[in-house]
Amino acid sequence: MQKKSTPEMLETFFTGGLFATPENEETELMEAISCKLIEFACILGTVAVDARFAREAMGTSEVFPVSEIAADYGCSAQAFNKLLRDQGIQYKRGRRWYLYDRYQGHGYTATRLTARDTGGRVRTFSSMQWTVRGRCFLYNFLREQGIHPTAQKGEQP
């Protein structure tokens, strides 16, 4: 049995299926129910998009804080962020780091939202985190510059 999309199911219901309106005094009621079902389907579609955005914004297990990547290179998150700035990969505006335009849109980073209680008031903060693709990009980019993770330093000539 093939799974139908929501619009296909609604069309089946309204045109000859479950919600075909009878030719009697219930027609008006059935039309109202049909309109409400269409309205509900539209709302459900919007909620599904919002839910997908929320899942992505709240984070997945496939992103890494800069501190985790920095540890691979034997330095602090601050030092690693400055290294990436010096290499022309990112810049800082206010308290946040951003990728330069040439590196945006490649899936290297994701934004993670974090809720924190600050003096009895819950505030949401966003931070840039690196994806698996971004981590591989950093590894390859830094390797080309002669910068290697600490585990590999002994292996280099």
Side-chain angles (χ1 to χ4, degrees):
M1 176 179 219
Q2 187 178 15
K3 189 174 182 180
K4 291 185 176 183
S5 68
T6 302
E8 290 172 330
M9 290 189 330
L10 289 174
E11 184 178 337
T12 301
F13 287 148
F14 298 136
T15 59
L18 187 60
F19 292 104
T21 54
E23 298 299 324
N24 57 30
E25 66 276 353
E26 295 178 357
T27 301
E28 215 173 286
L29 177 62
M30 295 302 284
E31 286 176 3
I33 291 171
S34 296
C35 288
K36 286 294 182 186
L37 282 171
I38 291 170
E39 184 180 332
F40 178 71
C42 291
I43 290 169
L44 189 60
T46 302
V47 169
V49 170
D50 291 346
R52 186 173 344 118
F53 171 78
R55 278 193 306 274
E56 290 171 5
M58 293 309 284
T60 67
S61 61
E62 295 183 6
V63 294
F64 307 94
V66 71
S67 59
E68 188 173 325
I69 300 170
D72 292 344
Y73 289 86
C75 61
S76 69
Q78 275 186 327
F80 193 72
N81 277 327
K82 288 178 183 176
L83 170 69
L84 297 180
R85 180 198 61 203
D86 295 344
Q87 295 294 325
I89 294 173
Q90 65 182 16
Y91 64 96
K92 192 172 188 178
R93 183 181 300 149
R95 294 180 161 192
R96 287 204 54 209
W97 290 96
Y98 299 90
L99 294 180
Y100 280 108
D101 289 344
R102 67 181 159 267
Y103 299 115
Q104 290 182 8
H106 297 286
Y108 295 154
T109 62
T111 301
R112 176 165 277 178
L113 299 176
T114 307
R116 293 187 200 139
D117 187 353
T118 56
R121 195 171 129 209
V122 176
R123 296 189 61 195
T124 304
F125 298 91
S126 63
S127 64
M128 181 174 78
Q129 304 225 336
W130 292 91
T131 62
V132 172
R133 177 182 280 180
R135 197 169 184 169
C136 289
F137 160 74
L138 290 176
Y139 173 78
N140 291 325
F141 183 92
L142 294 173
R143 185 184 61 200
E144 289 173 6
Q145 308 306 313
I147 303 167
H148 302 277
T150 54
Q152 293 185 354
K153 282 190 177 176
E155 301 171 13
Q156 301 305 319

